[in-house]
């Protein structure tokens, strides 16, 4: 059993701001890798030559700033996501805590997982908008910004379009999100059921891997453990992430088209809808 930690030195608002700023900094630093991952998942023309070729093609076609497409949306999403996750986690932990104020590790993991799922569902429209902004051509954008994307998706495709891919996102949360174990001995991330067999197997065998008890792990060992378990969980959940990205895109749009091909397609569609002039008018 473990007690829920309470730190009176930091308020909830301060904790939320610190988490948001730290998350925004990490997202901004890794934004190019995230962008190339999304482009590879949806199958755009940039990724036909591998990771390095994709980055070079994108910079040449749209400029270096294109590597940070959708990053503002991802950073803004952190604050409501963290607030919802923190609030839901607090409520669930109180619900799962016994009369003595203790909570088991597995209940803490369940509370964190459920809180993450709540935050994911509520903020999912911003994830859809981020994917659309990443995939579009920055020089010929379909969406001029976050609010314009929200307005256009809502009016052209309906409210449910903002929740495309939410079911794979929930399954992805069951694999990757998990919860931070509330213990003073080890602080690493592991995943929740039902798809966390690989990462859980790594976690329960950490003492065999290091050949010493978990309570004697150094900070470096804990860091390595977290990287290994997160890598296993991310690998297991990656198919769900790919399906989610595919579902978030506009139906009927071939994401593999290059900018010139996309312009020709738009011109062809425009001409097909224009009324033809009759012979008498000529």
């Amino acid at each position: 059993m473990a007690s829920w930690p309470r730190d009176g030195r930091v308020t909830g608002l301060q904790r939320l701001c610190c988490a948001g700023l730290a998350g925004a900094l990490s997202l901004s630093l890794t934004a190019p890798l995230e962008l190339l991952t999304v482009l590879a998942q949806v199958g755009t023309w940039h990724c036909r030559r591998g990771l390095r070729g994709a980055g070079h093609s994108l910079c040449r076609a749209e400029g270096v700033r294109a590597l940070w497409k959708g990053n503002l949306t991802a950073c803004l999403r952190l604050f409501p996501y963290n607030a919802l996750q923190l609030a839901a986690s607090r409520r669930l932990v109180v619900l799962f805590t016994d009369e003595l104020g203790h909570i088991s590790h597995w209940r803490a993991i369940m509370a964190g997982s459920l809180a993450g799922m709540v935050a994911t569902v509520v903020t999912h429209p911003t994830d859809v908008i981020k994917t659309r902004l990443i995939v579009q051509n920055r020089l010929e954008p379909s969406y001029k910004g976050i609010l314009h994307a929200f307005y256009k998706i809502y009016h052209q495709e309906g409210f449910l379009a903002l929740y495309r891919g939410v079911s794979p996102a929930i399954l992805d949360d069951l694999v990757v999100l998990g919860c931070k174990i509330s213990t003073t001995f080890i602080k690493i991330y592991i995943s929740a059921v039902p798809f966390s067999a690989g990462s859980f197997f790594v976690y329960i065998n950490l003492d065999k891997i290091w050949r010493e008890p978990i309570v004697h792990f150094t900070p470096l060992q804990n860091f390595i453990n977290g990287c290994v378990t997160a890598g296993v969980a991310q690998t297991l959940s990656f198919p769900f992430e790919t399906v989610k990205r595919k579902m978030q895109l506009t139906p009927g749009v071939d994401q593999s088209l290059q900018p010139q091909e996309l312009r020709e397609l738009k011109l062809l569609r425009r001409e097909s809808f224009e009324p033809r002039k009759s012979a008498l008018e000529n």
Side-chain angles (χ1 to χ4, degrees):
M1 305 291 288
S3 299
W4 178 253
R6 299 181 183 275
D7 191 350
R9 297 173 299 176
V10 181
T11 64
L13 181 60
Q14 290 174 332
R15 189 181 297 109
L16 176 63
C17 291
C18 291
L21 292 176
L25 178 61
S26 63
L27 282 177
S28 299
L29 292 176
T30 60
L33 293 177
E34 171 71 12
L35 179 137
L36 294 176
T37 300
V38 173
L39 294 181
Q41 287 173 328
V42 301
T44 61
W45 65 275
H46 310 86
C47 300
R48 296 175 181 175
R49 298 181 179 179
L51 185 65
R52 182 178 178 180
H56 180 71
S57 300
L58 183 65
C59 292
R60 185 172 55 184
E62 304 179 35
V64 179
R65 292 179 58 187
L67 293 174
W68 278 267
K69 289 189 298 183
N71 183 58
L72 178 60
T73 308
C75 292
L76 294 178
R77 178 177 181 262
L78 280 176
F79 292 94
Y81 182 91
N82 288 334
L84 288 168
Q85 187 181 28
L86 180 61
S89 178
R90 291 283 182 178
R91 293 283 185 178
L92 291 168
V93 165
V94 171
L95 181 63
F96 292 153
T97 302
D98 60 17
E99 295 81 1
L100 299 177
H102 295 92
I103 182 173
S104 67
H105 299 313
W106 297 114
R107 287 189 176 185
I109 292 173
M110 184 181 298
S113 299
L114 293 176
M117 290 172 62
V118 170
T120 296
V121 172
V122 175
T123 61
H124 188 75
T126 58
D127 195 41
V128 174
I129 292 173
K130 184 189 78 170
T131 302
R132 299 286 185 96
L133 294 177
I134 286 177
V135 173
Q136 72 173 359
N137 186 356
R138 192 178 68 89
L139 301 181
E140 297 180 3
S142 302
Y143 310 107
K144 299 178 181 179
I146 301 173
L147 296 178
H148 181 253
F150 183 88
Y151 176 84
K152 192 171 181 180
I153 294 173
Y154 175 77
H155 283 275
Q156 292 186 353
E157 304 176 39
F159 176 76
L160 293 180
L162 294 169
Y163 280 89
R164 286 202 182 106
V166 68
S167 53
I170 294 175
L171 291 175
D172 183 57
D173 280 340
L174 290 173
V175 182
V176 174
L177 196 63
C179 176
K180 201 171 188 179
I181 302 175
S182 62
T183 175
T184 57
F185 297 137
I186 178 173
K187 295 181 178 180
I188 62 171
Y189 284 91
I190 67 171
S191 303
V193 293
F195 302 105
S196 60
S199 56
F200 182 68
F201 175 80
V202 174
Y203 171 71
I204 63 177
N205 288 280
L206 290 177
D207 55 342
K208 298 178 181 178
I209 295 174
W210 293 108
R211 295 183 179 180
E212 61 179 313
I214 294 178
V215 295
H216 295 156
F217 285 173
T218 64
L220 178 59
Q221 288 175 317
N222 287 335
F223 175 76
I224 296 175
N225 296 336
C227 293
V228 172
T229 52
V232 173
Q234 181 67 28
T235 302
L236 292 175
S237 68
F238 198 79
F240 300 103
E241 181 74 12
T242 301
V243 172
K244 180 187 75 173
R245 296 299 180 192
K246 293 273 190 181
M247 294 175 65
Q248 288 175 341
L249 299 177
T250 307
V253 177
D254 186 1
Q255 304 300 328
S256 64
L257 294 178
Q258 297 191 25
Q260 180 61 31
E261 297 173 331
L262 189 58
R263 284 193 292 268
E264 293 176 355
L265 178 62
K266 290 181 180 179
L267 181 61
L268 181 61
R269 288 181 176 178
R270 191 180 303 118
E271 291 177 350
S272 63
F273 282 103
E274 290 180 353
R276 296 181 179 178
K277 296 183 179 180
S278 62
L280 295 178
E281 293 177 349
N282 295 331

